[in-house]
Amino acid sequence: MSSSSQFDTLRVLQWNAGGLSQSKRMEILQTLGERDGDVFAIMEANLADKNLKYYSFRGFSLYVLKKFRQVASGILIGVKRELTADFRIIKEMGVDGDKSEVVHLDVWKCGVHFKILAIYSPPGNDPDFSYVNHSKHSMFIGDFNAHSPVWGYSDTNNAGRRVQDF
C-alpha cells in the first residue's frame, strides 16, 4: 500500500491571472472540476472587497488579500467548503521595501494539517523570505518573478537568487 492516499493529499491549483475576469473565472471553475482541486490561489487577482461578490465559486469559501494601488496585485484563495481552513494575511504590498504580498493558509483534510504560503512578488522586487518557516506538510506557491537557469531562464535576477537560496 502506498504511503499517500486521497485522504492525505491536498490538491492545490495556483494561477497568475493578471486580473480576474468572468471568462477567467469560468476557466478556473472548469479546471477545478477536472482536477478535483481542494484549494486554489489566484495571484494578481486585482480584486477589492466590493467586487468579490461578482466572483463566486460554488462549493468554495473565498479569502482575499485585496489589491494594492497597482493593477497587478491581490491574492484570491478558495478552499472547498467541507475542509477546515484558517486564513491570515502575512504581508501586504506597500508596507516596506519588499513589495511581496503573502498570505498564510492552514488547511485540514482528513486530520492532516497542511500549511500553504501563497506569495506574489512583483517584477524587480527583492523578496525577503526571513518570515518563512516550514514543516512537513508546507507548500510555497505563487508568482515570484524569479529568473534562474535552474528553471530555464538564461539569466538570474535578485528574486531568482533569493528563491534558490531559500
Side-chain angles (χ1 to χ4, degrees), residues 11 14 17 20 33 42 58 63 78 80 90 103 113 125 155 166:
R11 292 182 182 260
Q14 185 269 321
L20 192 56
I42 301 172
R58 198 176 81 217
Y63 306 92
K80 275 189 178 174
I90 302 296
V103 298
H113 174 213
N125 188 41
D155 66 324
F166 176 69

Side-chain angles (χ1 to χ4, degrees), residues 6-8 83 108-114:
Q6 69 180 16
F7 301 110
D8 64 359
L83 300 177
W108 290 264
K109 183 178 180 185
C110 299
V112 178
H113 174 213
F114 296 89

Side-chain angles (χ1 to χ4, degrees), residues 10 16-17 21 26-28 51 62 66 68 81-82 89 97 103 107-109 124-125 133 140 142 145 150:
L10 189 73
N16 188 35
S21 65
M26 295 305 295
E27 187 176 341
I28 293 164
N51 59 357
L62 300 180
K66 61 186 178 190
F68 189 60
R81 284 205 174 105
E82 63 263 21
I89 295 172
V103 298
V107 180
W108 290 264
K109 183 178 180 185
N125 188 41
N133 57 32
F140 304 95
N145 283 295
V150 172

Side-chain angles (χ1 to χ4, degrees), residues 6 17 30 44 51 75 77 85 95 100 107 117 138:
Q6 69 180 16
Q30 181 179 347
E44 295 184 11
N51 59 357
I75 299 173
I77 301 286
V95 174
S100 297
V107 180
L117 245 55
S138 294

Side-chain angles (χ1 to χ4, degrees), residues 22-123:
Q22 286 299 327
S23 61
K24 289 178 182 179
R25 179 183 152 275
M26 295 305 295
E27 187 176 341
I28 293 164
L29 283 169
Q30 181 179 347
T31 303
L32 285 168
E34 291 170 356
R35 307 271 174 122
D36 192 28
D38 296 310
V39 175
F40 67 84
I42 301 172
M43 307 298 134
E44 295 184 11
N46 196 33
L47 293 176
D49 290 332
K50 66 182 180 183
N51 59 357
L52 184 60
K53 63 186 173 192
Y54 302 115
Y55 293 95
S56 65
F57 289 82
R58 198 176 81 217
F60 286 83
S61 298
L62 300 180
Y63 306 92
V64 67
L65 183 155
K66 61 186 178 190
K67 70 177 183 169
F68 189 60
R69 287 182 236 153
Q70 300 174 330
V71 172
S73 69
I75 299 173
L76 177 65
I77 301 286
V79 179
K80 275 189 178 174
R81 284 205 174 105
E82 63 263 21
L83 300 177
T84 301
D86 180 46
F87 173 84
R88 292 187 316 264
I89 295 172
I90 302 296
K91 187 171 176 330
E92 296 180 76
M93 190 176 284
V95 174
D96 57 24
D98 175 7
K99 305 284 187 251
S100 297
E101 296 178 318
V102 183
V103 298
H104 175 129
L105 185 70
D106 288 305
V107 180
W108 290 264
K109 183 178 180 185
C110 299
V112 178
H113 174 213
F114 296 89
K115 176 181 165 181
I116 301 170
L117 245 55
I119 302 168
Y120 171 65
S121 178

